[in-house]
Amino acid sequence: MNSDNDLQIAGDILEVPHLLQAPREHPVTVAEFVGLARSIAADRAQWEHLVRYDATTRWYHRLRTGPGYEVWLLSWVPGQGSGLHDHGRSSGVLTVLDGELTERTGRGTRALAAGTQRVFAPGYVHEVVNDALEPAVSLHVYYPGLTEMPMHTSHACTARPVTA
């Protein structure tokens, strides 16, 4: 068969080193940052012993840095929230590790259970709150690293639920 849509590869393509991309040491795409957050979330031994709960202020700990990015671990006791904010020029991946958080945006309110991930672009305005009765823990990856977190007035948030 020698048609135009037949493709045959002779030999093992993995034996041709110049055709393989070298594995990257650090993430560079949105999918890779999501994957980084998932791998950290799955390895509880990497972060669980670091978590602290503070009733007076949100607790946070910078877990890791890489070229141009940061990974933060945050805890939230019931009632604690971030206030309405954006992340300046940084994009991010928010992953709920334990408990449940609520995200409020101008489009409505969304419950974020453990395992939920949210990806956001620069300028995305939201508020994250622990409305539950149990503490929560979240992981945040920012690229580039977080240098500002402008606060916004709360009148932009509405209480209507967001459908998935």
mmCIF file of all heavy atoms in Angstrom, residues 71-106:
data_model
loop_
_atom_site.group_PDB
_atom_site.id
_atom_site.type_symbol
_atom_site.label_atom_id
_atom_site.label_comp_id
_atom_site.label_asym_id
_atom_site.label_seq_id
_atom_site.Cartn_x
_atom_site.Cartn_y
_atom_site.Cartn_z
ATOM 1 N N VAL A 71 5.201 28.581 44.447
ATOM 2 C CA VAL A 71 4.156 27.688 44.932
ATOM 3 C C VAL A 71 3.932 28.014 46.406
ATOM 4 O O VAL A 71 4.878 27.995 47.195
ATOM 5 C CB VAL A 71 4.552 26.202 44.775
ATOM 6 C CG1 VAL A 71 3.445 25.297 45.293
ATOM 7 C CG2 VAL A 71 4.892 25.881 43.316
ATOM 8 N N TRP A 72 2.675 28.343 46.751
ATOM 9 C CA TRP A 72 2.318 28.731 48.117
ATOM 10 C C TRP A 72 1.319 27.751 48.703
ATOM 11 O O TRP A 72 0.405 27.292 48.017
ATOM 12 C CB TRP A 72 1.697 30.127 48.122
ATOM 13 C CG TRP A 72 2.680 31.219 47.823
ATOM 14 C CD1 TRP A 72 3.038 31.682 46.591
ATOM 15 C CD2 TRP A 72 3.440 31.967 48.768
ATOM 16 N NE1 TRP A 72 3.964 32.682 46.715
ATOM 17 C CE2 TRP A 72 4.232 32.878 48.041
ATOM 18 C CE3 TRP A 72 3.520 31.961 50.162
ATOM 19 C CZ2 TRP A 72 5.099 33.773 48.667
ATOM 20 C CZ3 TRP A 72 4.379 32.854 50.779
ATOM 21 C CH2 TRP A 72 5.160 33.754 50.035
ATOM 22 N N LEU A 73 1.463 27.497 49.994
ATOM 23 C CA LEU A 73 0.545 26.676 50.767
ATOM 24 C C LEU A 73 -0.184 27.616 51.717
ATOM 25 O O LEU A 73 0.443 28.422 52.397
ATOM 26 C CB LEU A 73 1.367 25.646 51.552
ATOM 27 C CG LEU A 73 0.665 24.562 52.311
ATOM 28 C CD1 LEU A 73 -0.133 23.656 51.371
ATOM 29 C CD2 LEU A 73 1.689 23.732 53.096
ATOM 30 N N LEU A 74 -1.524 27.562 51.742
ATOM 31 C CA LEU A 74 -2.331 28.434 52.610
ATOM 32 C C LEU A 74 -3.291 27.614 53.446
ATOM 33 O O LEU A 74 -3.806 26.597 52.974
ATOM 34 C CB LEU A 74 -3.159 29.422 51.777
ATOM 35 C CG LEU A 74 -2.456 30.635 51.192
ATOM 36 C CD1 LEU A 74 -1.616 30.264 50.002
ATOM 37 C CD2 LEU A 74 -3.477 31.681 50.798
ATOM 38 N N SER A 75 -3.549 28.068 54.661
ATOM 39 C CA SER A 75 -4.592 27.440 55.475
ATOM 40 C C SER A 75 -5.672 28.475 55.754
ATOM 41 O O SER A 75 -5.415 29.682 55.777
ATOM 42 C CB SER A 75 -4.026 26.889 56.787
ATOM 43 O OG SER A 75 -3.687 27.938 57.672
ATOM 44 N N TRP A 76 -6.883 27.976 55.963
ATOM 45 C CA TRP A 76 -8.050 28.825 56.156
ATOM 46 C C TRP A 76 -8.886 28.230 57.284
ATOM 47 O O TRP A 76 -9.406 27.130 57.149
ATOM 48 C CB TRP A 76 -8.909 28.839 54.905
ATOM 49 C CG TRP A 76 -8.199 29.055 53.604
ATOM 50 C CD1 TRP A 76 -7.413 28.170 52.940
ATOM 51 C CD2 TRP A 76 -8.240 30.218 52.800
ATOM 52 N NE1 TRP A 76 -6.959 28.707 51.767
ATOM 53 C CE2 TRP A 76 -7.464 29.972 51.651
ATOM 54 C CE3 TRP A 76 -8.882 31.452 52.921
ATOM 55 C CZ2 TRP A 76 -7.285 30.906 50.643
ATOM 56 C CZ3 TRP A 76 -8.711 32.383 51.907
ATOM 57 C CH2 TRP A 76 -7.920 32.116 50.792
ATOM 58 N N VAL A 77 -9.006 28.940 58.404
ATOM 59 C CA VAL A 77 -9.937 28.485 59.431
ATOM 60 C C VAL A 77 -11.320 29.008 59.048
ATOM 61 O O VAL A 77 -11.445 29.930 58.226
ATOM 62 C CB VAL A 77 -9.523 28.930 60.854
ATOM 63 C CG1 VAL A 77 -8.157 28.358 61.226
ATOM 64 C CG2 VAL A 77 -9.537 30.433 61.000
ATOM 65 N N PRO A 78 -12.385 28.418 59.607
ATOM 66 C CA PRO A 78 -13.735 28.883 59.250
ATOM 67 C C PRO A 78 -13.874 30.396 59.389
ATOM 68 O O PRO A 78 -13.423 30.986 60.375
ATOM 69 C CB PRO A 78 -14.619 28.133 60.243
ATOM 70 C CG PRO A 78 -13.865 26.865 60.502
ATOM 71 C CD PRO A 78 -12.415 27.278 60.519
ATOM 72 N N GLY A 79 -14.443 31.018 58.369
ATOM 73 C CA GLY A 79 -14.674 32.457 58.373
ATOM 74 C C GLY A 79 -13.575 33.275 57.736
ATOM 75 O O GLY A 79 -13.786 34.440 57.396
ATOM 76 N N GLN A 80 -12.385 32.731 57.567
ATOM 77 C CA GLN A 80 -11.299 33.498 56.959
ATOM 78 C C GLN A 80 -11.495 33.605 55.451
ATOM 79 O O GLN A 80 -11.984 32.681 54.811
ATOM 80 C CB GLN A 80 -9.941 32.862 57.248
ATOM 81 C CG GLN A 80 -9.480 33.104 58.665
ATOM 82 C CD GLN A 80 -8.114 32.495 58.943
ATOM 83 O OE1 GLN A 80 -7.691 31.548 58.302
ATOM 84 N NE2 GLN A 80 -7.431 33.057 59.931
ATOM 85 N N GLY A 81 -11.088 34.760 54.905
ATOM 86 C CA GLY A 81 -11.204 34.987 53.479
ATOM 87 C C GLY A 81 -10.086 35.880 52.978
ATOM 88 O O GLY A 81 -9.377 36.514 53.756
ATOM 89 N N SER A 82 -9.963 35.934 51.685
ATOM 90 C CA SER A 82 -8.888 36.704 51.056
ATOM 91 C C SER A 82 -9.253 38.157 50.820
ATOM 92 O O SER A 82 -8.374 38.973 50.587
ATOM 93 C CB SER A 82 -8.535 36.067 49.710
ATOM 94 O OG SER A 82 -9.652 36.154 48.833
ATOM 95 N N GLY A 83 -10.542 38.480 50.830
ATOM 96 C CA GLY A 83 -10.970 39.773 50.331
ATOM 97 C C GLY A 83 -10.970 39.725 48.812
ATOM 98 O O GLY A 83 -10.315 38.870 48.202
ATOM 99 N N LEU A 84 -11.705 40.598 48.206
ATOM 100 C CA LEU A 84 -11.806 40.642 46.753
ATOM 101 C C LEU A 84 -10.507 41.209 46.180
ATOM 102 O O LEU A 84 -10.101 42.309 46.541
ATOM 103 C CB LEU A 84 -13.008 41.495 46.350
ATOM 104 C CG LEU A 84 -13.432 41.457 44.901
ATOM 105 C CD1 LEU A 84 -13.879 40.057 44.506
ATOM 106 C CD2 LEU A 84 -14.552 42.436 44.653
ATOM 107 N N HIS A 85 -9.859 40.452 45.300
ATOM 108 C CA HIS A 85 -8.543 40.849 44.806
ATOM 109 C C HIS A 85 -8.284 40.251 43.424
ATOM 110 O O HIS A 85 -9.021 39.403 42.946
ATOM 111 C CB HIS A 85 -7.462 40.337 45.769
ATOM 112 C CG HIS A 85 -7.363 38.846 45.797
ATOM 113 N ND1 HIS A 85 -8.265 38.045 46.477
ATOM 114 C CD2 HIS A 85 -6.493 37.990 45.185
ATOM 115 C CE1 HIS A 85 -7.943 36.774 46.309
ATOM 116 N NE2 HIS A 85 -6.881 36.710 45.522
ATOM 117 N N ASP A 86 -7.200 40.717 42.812
ATOM 118 C CA ASP A 86 -6.649 40.050 41.636
ATOM 119 C C ASP A 86 -5.172 39.781 41.927
ATOM 120 O O ASP A 86 -4.699 40.059 43.023
ATOM 121 C CB ASP A 86 -6.893 40.846 40.347
ATOM 122 C CG ASP A 86 -6.093 42.130 40.261
ATOM 123 O OD1 ASP A 86 -4.847 42.073 40.320
ATOM 124 O OD2 ASP A 86 -6.711 43.202 40.106
ATOM 125 N N HIS A 87 -4.462 39.235 40.967
ATOM 126 C CA HIS A 87 -3.067 38.850 41.181
ATOM 127 C C HIS A 87 -2.119 39.622 40.277
ATOM 128 O O HIS A 87 -1.061 39.110 39.897
ATOM 129 C CB HIS A 87 -2.913 37.346 40.984
ATOM 130 C CG HIS A 87 -3.786 36.560 41.892
ATOM 131 N ND1 HIS A 87 -5.034 36.131 41.523
ATOM 132 C CD2 HIS A 87 -3.621 36.171 43.176
ATOM 133 C CE1 HIS A 87 -5.591 35.499 42.533
ATOM 134 N NE2 HIS A 87 -4.773 35.511 43.548
ATOM 135 N N GLY A 88 -2.526 40.856 39.937
ATOM 136 C CA GLY A 88 -1.660 41.681 39.107
ATOM 137 C C GLY A 88 -1.372 41.005 37.784
ATOM 138 O O GLY A 88 -2.269 40.532 37.100
ATOM 139 N N ARG A 89 -0.114 40.924 37.411
ATOM 140 C CA ARG A 89 0.273 40.344 36.118
ATOM 141 C C ARG A 89 0.485 38.834 36.181
ATOM 142 O O ARG A 89 0.867 38.215 35.189
ATOM 143 C CB ARG A 89 1.524 41.031 35.589
ATOM 144 C CG ARG A 89 2.732 40.889 36.449
ATOM 145 C CD ARG A 89 3.900 41.754 35.928
ATOM 146 N NE ARG A 89 5.151 41.344 36.558
ATOM 147 C CZ ARG A 89 6.029 40.505 36.003
ATOM 148 N NH1 ARG A 89 5.809 40.022 34.807
ATOM 149 N NH2 ARG A 89 7.129 40.171 36.647
ATOM 150 N N SER A 90 0.207 38.231 37.339
ATOM 151 C CA SER A 90 0.429 36.787 37.491
ATOM 152 C C SER A 90 -0.791 35.968 37.092
ATOM 153 O O SER A 90 -1.923 36.341 37.380
ATOM 154 C CB SER A 90 0.781 36.456 38.942
ATOM 155 O OG SER A 90 1.961 37.118 39.328
ATOM 156 N N SER A 91 -0.542 34.840 36.450
ATOM 157 C CA SER A 91 -1.545 33.803 36.243
ATOM 158 C C SER A 91 -1.424 32.839 37.404
ATOM 159 O O SER A 91 -0.415 32.833 38.110
ATOM 160 C CB SER A 91 -1.281 33.050 34.937
ATOM 161 O OG SER A 91 -1.427 33.907 33.842
ATOM 162 N N GLY A 92 -2.433 31.995 37.592
ATOM 163 C CA GLY A 92 -2.337 31.082 38.721
ATOM 164 C C GLY A 92 -3.148 29.819 38.581
ATOM 165 O O GLY A 92 -4.023 29.702 37.719
ATOM 166 N N VAL A 93 -2.814 28.881 39.460
ATOM 167 C CA VAL A 93 -3.558 27.639 39.633
ATOM 168 C C VAL A 93 -3.838 27.522 41.118
ATOM 169 O O VAL A 93 -2.914 27.519 41.928
ATOM 170 C CB VAL A 93 -2.756 26.406 39.164
ATOM 171 C CG1 VAL A 93 -3.563 25.132 39.383
ATOM 172 C CG2 VAL A 93 -2.328 26.536 37.717
ATOM 173 N N LEU A 94 -5.113 27.471 41.474
ATOM 174 C CA LEU A 94 -5.536 27.273 42.858
ATOM 175 C C LEU A 94 -6.034 25.837 42.976
ATOM 176 O O LEU A 94 -6.859 25.407 42.175
ATOM 177 C CB LEU A 94 -6.645 28.256 43.208
ATOM 178 C CG LEU A 94 -7.257 28.225 44.606
ATOM 179 C CD1 LEU A 94 -7.904 29.561 44.912
ATOM 180 C CD2 LEU A 94 -8.257 27.125 44.827
ATOM 181 N N THR A 95 -5.519 25.095 43.957
ATOM 182 C CA THR A 95 -5.931 23.713 44.186
ATOM 183 C C THR A 95 -6.335 23.572 45.642
ATOM 184 O O THR A 95 -5.561 23.920 46.532
ATOM 185 C CB THR A 95 -4.772 22.734 43.884
ATOM 186 O OG1 THR A 95 -4.308 22.961 42.560
ATOM 187 C CG2 THR A 95 -5.214 21.293 44.040
ATOM 188 N N VAL A 96 -7.540 23.091 45.896
ATOM 189 C CA VAL A 96 -7.985 22.843 47.272
ATOM 190 C C VAL A 96 -7.449 21.480 47.684
ATOM 191 O O VAL A 96 -7.726 20.473 47.031
ATOM 192 C CB VAL A 96 -9.516 22.905 47.391
ATOM 193 C CG1 VAL A 96 -9.947 22.642 48.830
ATOM 194 C CG2 VAL A 96 -10.037 24.265 46.921
ATOM 195 N N LEU A 97 -6.661 21.474 48.760
ATOM 196 C CA LEU A 97 -6.043 20.240 49.230
ATOM 197 C C LEU A 97 -6.899 19.531 50.272
ATOM 198 O O LEU A 97 -7.009 18.309 50.261
ATOM 199 C CB LEU A 97 -4.661 20.529 49.819
ATOM 200 C CG LEU A 97 -3.654 21.197 48.882
ATOM 201 C CD1 LEU A 97 -2.370 21.516 49.634
ATOM 202 C CD2 LEU A 97 -3.386 20.330 47.675
ATOM 203 N N ASP A 98 -7.458 20.289 51.206
ATOM 204 C CA ASP A 98 -8.298 19.753 52.280
ATOM 205 C C ASP A 98 -9.441 20.715 52.539
ATOM 206 O O ASP A 98 -9.274 21.938 52.398
ATOM 207 C CB ASP A 98 -7.502 19.618 53.590
ATOM 208 C CG ASP A 98 -6.701 18.339 53.682
ATOM 209 O OD1 ASP A 98 -7.111 17.336 53.087
ATOM 210 O OD2 ASP A 98 -5.653 18.354 54.367
ATOM 211 N N GLY A 99 -10.575 20.185 52.941
ATOM 212 C CA GLY A 99 -11.710 21.028 53.293
ATOM 213 C C GLY A 99 -12.430 21.537 52.067
ATOM 214 O O GLY A 99 -12.353 20.964 50.980
ATOM 215 N N GLU A 100 -13.133 22.650 52.251
ATOM 216 C CA GLU A 100 -13.895 23.264 51.175
ATOM 217 C C GLU A 100 -13.775 24.775 51.270
ATOM 218 O O GLU A 100 -13.846 25.344 52.356
ATOM 219 C CB GLU A 100 -15.362 22.859 51.272
ATOM 220 C CG GLU A 100 -16.204 23.389 50.131
ATOM 221 C CD GLU A 100 -17.640 22.887 50.185
ATOM 222 O OE1 GLU A 100 -17.831 21.670 50.082
ATOM 223 O OE2 GLU A 100 -18.537 23.736 50.331
ATOM 224 N N LEU A 101 -13.603 25.405 50.127
ATOM 225 C CA LEU A 101 -13.551 26.861 50.040
ATOM 226 C C LEU A 101 -14.664 27.339 49.123
ATOM 227 O O LEU A 101 -15.207 26.573 48.337
ATOM 228 C CB LEU A 101 -12.190 27.322 49.503
ATOM 229 C CG LEU A 101 -10.992 27.009 50.397
ATOM 230 C CD1 LEU A 101 -9.680 27.282 49.658
ATOM 231 C CD2 LEU A 101 -11.057 27.819 51.689
ATOM 232 N N THR A 102 -14.976 28.620 49.226
ATOM 233 C CA THR A 102 -15.960 29.253 48.355
ATOM 234 C C THR A 102 -15.248 30.336 47.566
ATOM 235 O O THR A 102 -14.516 31.147 48.136
ATOM 236 C CB THR A 102 -17.107 29.868 49.179
ATOM 237 O OG1 THR A 102 -17.714 28.836 49.951
ATOM 238 C CG2 THR A 102 -18.143 30.521 48.286
ATOM 239 N N GLU A 103 -15.460 30.344 46.251
ATOM 240 C CA GLU A 103 -14.910 31.401 45.400
ATOM 241 C C GLU A 103 -16.053 32.290 44.952
ATOM 242 O O GLU A 103 -17.062 31.801 44.438
ATOM 243 C CB GLU A 103 -14.197 30.829 44.189
ATOM 244 C CG GLU A 103 -13.617 31.922 43.305
ATOM 245 C CD GLU A 103 -13.028 31.406 42.013
ATOM 246 O OE1 GLU A 103 -13.604 30.456 41.423
ATOM 247 O OE2 GLU A 103 -12.008 31.966 41.581
ATOM 248 N N ARG A 104 -15.894 33.594 45.145
ATOM 249 C CA ARG A 104 -16.887 34.572 44.698
ATOM 250 C C ARG A 104 -16.259 35.451 43.629
ATOM 251 O O ARG A 104 -15.149 35.943 43.785
ATOM 252 C CB ARG A 104 -17.353 35.426 45.869
ATOM 253 C CG ARG A 104 -18.067 34.621 46.934
ATOM 254 C CD ARG A 104 -18.633 35.515 48.046
ATOM 255 N NE ARG A 104 -19.283 34.691 49.036
ATOM 256 C CZ ARG A 104 -18.841 34.507 50.273
ATOM 257 N NH1 ARG A 104 -17.748 35.115 50.680
ATOM 258 N NH2 ARG A 104 -19.502 33.728 51.108
ATOM 259 N N THR A 105 -16.994 35.617 42.544
ATOM 260 C CA THR A 105 -16.565 36.497 41.458
ATOM 261 C C THR A 105 -17.751 37.363 41.062
ATOM 262 O O THR A 105 -18.855 37.192 41.597
ATOM 263 C CB THR A 105 -16.097 35.691 40.223
ATOM 264 O OG1 THR A 105 -17.232 35.043 39.644
ATOM 265 C CG2 THR A 105 -15.036 34.667 40.583
ATOM 266 N N GLY A 106 -17.552 38.229 40.111
ATOM 267 C CA GLY A 106 -18.646 39.030 39.585
ATOM 268 C C GLY A 106 -19.700 38.190 38.894
ATOM 269 O O GLY A 106 -20.821 38.638 38.671
#
